[in-house]
Amino acid sequence: WGLIGGLAGGGAAAHTDARQAMTQSEGGHWSAAVALTTLDATADLPSRVLSAVLLQGGSGMDRRGGQLEHGVVEASWRGSAQWAVALALGRHGSEPAHTESAWVRYTPQGFGGPWQIDAGRQRPDLGAVITPAGHFDRFTLMPLAKQAALGGDWVDDGVQAAYQHDSARARVRLQAGLWRASVFPGAPQGSLA
């Protein structure tokens, strides 16, 4: 069953990035994804007993048995070459549904331009290793690099500006953001990051 599930889930992704799914022409885009898990183990899973290593001393989630790992519905709309909006609603396990992202984008020179500014609730871009890792790996467990660095997903309210230029000689990517930091690296009462 594991081999069949692994082969069937090769193209699955519970967290698509609305920035990547955004259409390059005026109009809308929507998607939905769901990941169900069923794990059978007689003893605690190793991730539950690595106190202060991956889960910062927490007991973790017991993922044995069948459950909803993650479900998400996303919609984005580009009203013009400069303006776009996106909304994503998600649910993890038995937790209540929540807003995963709700942001507006301004691209001064239109889509394909080197500059873009995103404002609202979103996942801050975390570089070439952690961002593409997604929400979970092929075993429906959060990637180890993301667990170790963030303790989970980082969804936050803020503003992010990005510049991208590709040429035959160089690829340049610059990003800067200002985040509420209520989850990582701070706390609900913390300062901006």
Side-chain angles (χ1 to χ4, degrees), residues 147-173:
Q147 286 187 48
L150 305 172
D153 274 323
W154 182 17
V155 177
D156 215 339
D157 299 327
V159 177
Q160 178 171 285
Y163 173 82
Q164 174 178 324
H165 177 72
D166 294 330
S167 70
R169 299 184 68 209
R171 170 183 267 182
V172 177
R173 306 252 192 285

Side-chain angles (χ1 to χ4, degrees), residues 45 47-48 55 58-64 67-69 92-95 141:
L45 298 176
S47 64
R48 287 180 47 91
L55 301 173
S59 62
M61 292 174 48
D62 189 350
R63 304 178 78 87
R64 290 176 290 185
Q67 61 184 300
L68 170 71
E69 197 290 327
H92 297 262
S94 60
E95 297 174 1
L141 300 172

